[in-house]
Amino acid sequence: MIRRVQHIGLAVRDLDAAIALYERAFGISPEHRDRSEAEGVEAAMFQVAGVGIELMQPMRDDSPVGKFLERRGEGVHHVAFGVDDVAAAMEDVRAAGLEPLDGEPRPGLHGTRVGFIHPRSAGGVLIELVEADGEGGAT
Ligand code: CO
């Protein structure tokens, strides 16, 4: 059901500074930059050999990423698995006893459809299931 690691989400306090660090230290530049008012997050997506690195800065302290930074500080926030059909994948994980955070797939950043799985049901890891438009989770 999982086709690949689509991206890894990293929480940062200062997105511009983090982008500059990645450009300077690793020689990579973001492919997309996007923000979601609903999620209260601004994010930049880099590509490294087909795997995304998503740097995320909260727009508000009470947003999910804002609360994560408060509790845990900067660091790895989630792992996103690419799937062909996010709705079907969410049914599969629910049947396997995991706890989706979303009842239905919802629009993600960068033109995707996503569903998240609660870390308490998945070994402490926040998992994002992602179906990317025009890309299929499979590529
Ligand atoms: Co993500």
Side-chain angles (χ1 to χ4, degrees):
M1 178 261 276
I2 286 170
R3 305 301 290 258
R4 64 184 185 120
V5 176
Q6 209 263 359
H7 67 267
I8 297 169
L10 309 177
V12 303
R13 293 190 194 283
D14 182 335
L15 185 57
D16 288 325
I19 290 170
L21 175 74
Y22 273 68
E23 287 180 330
R24 193 176 71 247
F26 304 125
I28 55 177
S29 297
E31 260 194 348
H32 296 284
R33 189 163 173 160
D34 200 1
R35 51 200 283 148
S36 164
E37 291 294 335
E39 292 294 314
V41 69
E42 181 164 0
M45 185 72 84
F46 296 76
Q47 291 296 331
V48 180
V51 178
I53 300 293
E54 180 179 45
L55 303 180
M56 303 178 303
Q57 176 193 321
M59 292 160 59
R60 305 182 293 271
D61 288 345
D62 66 349
S63 64
V65 176
K67 290 180 190 161
F68 177 90
L69 277 176
E70 175 78 32
R71 276 197 322 269
R72 310 267 297 265
E74 291 186 309
V76 176
H77 179 265
H78 65 272
V79 176
F81 294 130
V83 298
D84 292 328
D85 180 337
V86 71
M90 286 171 69
E91 283 311 309
D92 290 347
V93 298
R94 191 176 286 117
L98 275 61
E99 260 181 80
L101 282 169
D102 305 288
E104 308 260 299
R106 57 187 173 83
L109 292 170
H110 324 290
T112 56
R113 291 202 323 147
V114 303
F116 282 87
I117 301 169
H118 200 294
R120 75 178 158 226
S121 69
V125 178
L126 177 61
I127 294 174
E128 176 182 355
L129 300 170
V130 58
E131 180 186 320
D133 277 353
E135 180 188 3
T139 55

